[in-house]
Amino acid sequence: MNIGIVCYPTFGGSGVLATELGKALADKGHNIHFITYQQPVRLSGFHANIFYHEVRVPTYPLFDYPPYETALASTMVDVVLNNNVELLHVHYAIPHASAAYMAKQILAKQGKHIPVITTLHGTDITLVGRDKTYSPVVTFSMEESDALTAVSENLRSETYKNFDIKKDIEVIYNFVDVERFHKKPVDAFKKLVAPNGERILVHASNFRKVKRVGDVVNTFLLINQEMPSKLLLLGDGPERPYAESICRDCTAAENIRFLGKQEQMEDILPIADLFLLTSEYESFGLAALEAMAAEVPVISTNAGGLPEINVDGFCGYMSEVGDILDMSKKAISIIKDDDTLKQFRANALTQALKFDIQNIVPQYEALYKRMI
Ligand code: GMT
């Protein structure tokens, strides 16, 4: 099949998922056309079946706000017509679903029918999309998509709760390429981070308010009072200065490191003993799934779709949002001795395998076939 994929090219989970999906489909012989304003972060190197089409948004003195959505719709039309694209799969509703609707109408006038699939990822529904600034357009473009998918049951029900739509929403869970993440721990790297055998805790996110990065740091500080440990913070975003300021003033500053944005998560996660995800909401929590694939148990909140991936007492634990004391106690119960940690590690891998790329990608392929 010839598929057009539209996504955010940045480090957010929706862009990561869309890119990994495109790469997996290309490996299966499909031609994948990425349409976005920048090369997606997880798209590097050469692949015979992958094409990248940049959306250019020319500036003009009149435009305080350059019309990205118009440029995107026009690029979609151009890519579909010139590459025999048979289907557009857009990730994250805003503004991708409405731009795809516009492209579809333009193509229809030229006698080309192009099905549009919209995958809802999270904040496009729960935070940004439901704001009345966007809600009418998001509602309309979801309803007009030929198929709608959500990355968890929770996101599906949040969509029906927040939007007046009748359209069927199919849940297709996010996935991970377990084989890629399931590497032997890199001992030399581990020794650099934790020279005295300290436990290594990791958090990765885009440091937005919804992630409650302050809770990550404060949970770690409680753990660190009881056990020698190190915290690695991966990613960047608006809350990083706040997180850095608490770390600077704390007693364990030398045990915390900010590593910034990292492309090769599979090289870093295997050195971790525990992954912390303290979000106020996660539709799914792809970062936690990647940790599990690297055999890392997860301490998370029980918000949104997290209970659909983190199994309490098996591959990690869940706590109420903001309950840092509970999170720290549960974390310590996992990392306190090697045998318990080993069992949780093995369980994390077992759980990740349920969401392995090989189980999920065929669900998208089946949907594409139906639509085309
Ligand atoms: O919150 C983020 O990390 C970014 C955001 C995005 O759309 O890029 O992530 C959302 O989509 C991910 C992939 O489906 C999910 O794993 C995240 O849980 C979801 N984030 C939220 O719901 C807050």
Side-chain angles (χ1 to χ4, degrees):
M1 290 180 271
N2 289 334
I3 309 294
I5 291 185
V6 178
C7 64
Y8 282 102
T10 49
F11 281 86
S14 61
V16 166
L17 194 281
T19 311
E20 297 295 353
L21 174 62
K23 290 187 328 195
L25 290 164
D27 282 343
K28 293 180 115 185
H30 304 294
N31 290 320
I32 302 302
H33 296 266
F34 283 101
I35 305 167
T36 179
Y37 59 83
Q38 207 174 276
Q39 176 105 356
V41 286
R42 288 232 184 146
L43 189 67
S44 53
F46 172 79
H47 196 300
N49 302 347
I50 295 182
F51 306 88
Y52 163 60
H53 307 271
E54 189 163 303
V55 180
R56 292 174 203 281
V57 192
T59 52
Y60 184 67
L62 188 67
F63 298 155
D64 279 342
Y65 303 98
Y68 176 66
E69 194 174 334
T70 306
L72 175 60
S74 298
T75 310
M76 284 191 222
V77 170
D78 182 69
V79 172
V80 167
L81 289 175
N82 289 300
N83 299 279
N84 202 21
V85 166
E86 299 162 271
L87 180 142
L88 287 168
H89 185 180
V90 306
H91 292 259
Y92 205 91
I94 308 168
H96 302 151
S98 45
Y101 171 77
M102 174 66 96
K104 184 181 165 86
Q105 299 313 309
I106 295 167
L107 289 160
K109 281 264 181 223
Q110 300 182 31
K112 168 104 184 160
H113 168 69
I114 186 95
V116 171
I117 299 175
T118 301
T119 290
L120 310 171
H121 277 274
T123 47
D124 46 351
I125 293 302
T126 55
L127 209 66
V128 199
R130 60 191 268 213
D131 188 289
K132 71 178 193 311
T133 324
Y134 298 115
S135 167
V137 174
V138 174
T139 308
F140 176 81
S141 46
M142 281 196 289
E143 200 71 79
E144 290 297 320
S145 295
D146 294 280
L148 265 186
T149 74
V151 298
S152 66
E153 291 290 347
N154 172 270
L155 185 59
R156 179 178 186 270
S157 66
E158 285 295 320
T159 309
Y160 286 128
K161 216 186 290 166
N162 290 301
F163 295 88
D164 182 20
I165 59 161
K166 308 275 174 296
K167 192 147 205 97
D168 190 39
I169 302 175
E170 181 176 347
V171 173
I172 301 184
Y173 280 116
N174 283 334
F175 61 83
V176 64
D177 182 356
V178 172
E179 204 183 304
R180 211 175 81 214
F181 280 82
H182 182 218
K183 285 184 182 167
K184 288 255 170 300
V186 190
D187 287 343
F189 181 21
K190 197 163 181 155
K191 201 137 187 73
L192 271 180
V193 176
N196 303 308
E198 297 93 336
R199 297 294 197 211
I200 302 175
L201 286 78
V202 168
H203 167 79
S205 76
N206 51 19
F207 284 59
R208 298 199 181 273
K209 264 209 153 56
V210 70
K211 307 288 175 182
R212 297 180 65 102
V213 185
D215 285 0
V216 172
V217 175
N218 289 321
T219 302
F220 170 74
L221 292 178
L222 291 171
I223 297 166
N224 190 253
Q225 284 171 9
E226 305 275 324
M227 289 195 71
S229 43
K230 301 280 180 185
L231 175 64
L232 299 180
L233 291 150
L234 279 70
D236 208 339
E239 293 293 296
R240 179 165 167 181
Y242 162 67
E244 279 179 338
S245 73
I246 349 178
C247 295
R248 222 170 281 136
D249 299 339
C250 79
T251 47
E254 73 281 3
N255 294 314
I256 305 174
R257 286 192 73 164
F258 287 80
L259 298 190
K261 292 179 178 172
Q262 296 288 335
E263 283 172 36
Q264 307 294 341
M265 292 298 285
E266 65 269 34
D267 291 341
I268 300 174
L269 285 170
I271 69 160
D273 296 301
L274 203 66
F275 188 84
L276 294 175
L277 193 61
T278 57
S279 309
E280 192 175 309
Y281 179 82
E282 285 295 339
S283 65
F284 183 90
L286 185 58
L289 179 63
E290 292 189 337
M292 287 183 202
E295 278 193 83
V296 182
V298 172
I299 292 291
S300 74
T301 56
N302 55 10
L306 285 168
E308 293 173 59
I309 57 158
N310 193 6
V311 182
D312 208 38
F314 179 71
C315 52
Y317 283 107
M318 289 182 291
S319 304
E320 295 294 326
V321 174
D323 195 345
I324 55 166
L325 191 59
D326 193 51
M327 287 191 254
S328 67
K329 282 185 185 155
K330 286 171 170 168
I332 291 168
S333 79
I334 296 177
I335 56 176
K336 67 177 188 316
D337 64 79
D338 289 344
D339 287 346
T340 313
L341 179 57
K342 196 172 163 200
Q343 185 59 57
F344 271 85
R345 276 188 181 286
N347 295 350
L349 179 60
T350 304
Q351 178 65 359
L353 282 165
K354 292 188 185 153
F355 299 90
D356 187 48
I357 195 164
Q358 295 188 26
N359 301 328
I360 309 289
V361 171
Q363 297 178 33
Y364 279 115
E365 276 181 298
L367 176 62
Y368 293 172
K369 277 184 195 142
R370 261 178 13 239
M371 289 298 123
I372 291 172

